[in-house]
Amino acid sequence: MEQINISGTIDGVHTVQLGGVMYRLKMAYDGEHWNLTLRDADDNDLVTDVRVVTNYPLLLMHQRSTPTLNGQLMAVRTNGSEQISRNDFVNGRIKLVYIPWDEVQ
């Protein structure tokens, strides 16, 4: 499992290496929810505007559109809160992680 540091940036685009492949990860906060867009290294959208919920595989319904992603992204909650607020990634209450398929089993 790898933690992805998004630094709580609103509308921030981060270059990340997941399973040996480079991706561009955009995180946007719309005032109520965090949303995730995953792009390939050339900035082509693979998955757009996925609502970030805790402790659930974020790309579960998009596995066919992300064939090079050999794992899953999850927002892991470290406290009892159900909601994700704007600052939860910054203060460590929520962590975005990549879990390779061999660790999911």
Side-chain angles (χ1 to χ4, degrees), residues 8-75:
T9 306
I10 296 174
D11 290 326
V13 178
H14 309 273
T15 300
V16 295
Q17 185 172 358
L18 306 173
V21 178
M22 296 302 286
Y23 294 95
R24 308 264 296 146
L25 181 66
K26 179 182 180 189
M27 296 292 291
Y29 190 73
D30 64 11
E32 284 187 53
H33 304 98
W34 281 97
N35 296 293
L36 171 143
T37 294
L38 185 67
R39 299 174 177 152
D40 64 17
D42 296 323
D43 267 343
N44 298 305
D45 287 343
L46 300 174
V47 178
T48 59
D49 295 325
V50 173
R51 179 164 297 163
V52 177
V53 296
T54 57
N55 300 334
Y56 186 80
L58 299 176
L59 302 177
L60 183 64
M61 303 305 287
H62 305 280
Q63 290 175 340
R64 289 184 185 208
S65 57
T66 58
T68 60
L69 186 64
N70 294 315
Q72 189 55 257
L73 292 172
M74 290 184 71

Side-chain angles (χ1 to χ4, degrees), residues 74-87:
M74 290 184 71
V76 179
R77 183 177 11 152
T78 61
N79 70 358
S81 171
E82 287 293 322
Q83 296 294 323
I84 301 176
S85 73
R86 180 191 183 281
N87 295 317

Side-chain angles (χ1 to χ4, degrees), residues 2-6 25 27 36 52 58 73-76 89 94-98:
E2 302 170 33
Q3 183 174 335
I4 302 166
N5 182 6
I6 62 165
L25 181 66
M27 296 292 291
L36 171 143
V52 177
L58 299 176
L73 292 172
M74 290 184 71
V76 179
F89 287 105
I94 305 292
K95 297 185 185 303
L96 186 64
V97 297
Y98 168 75

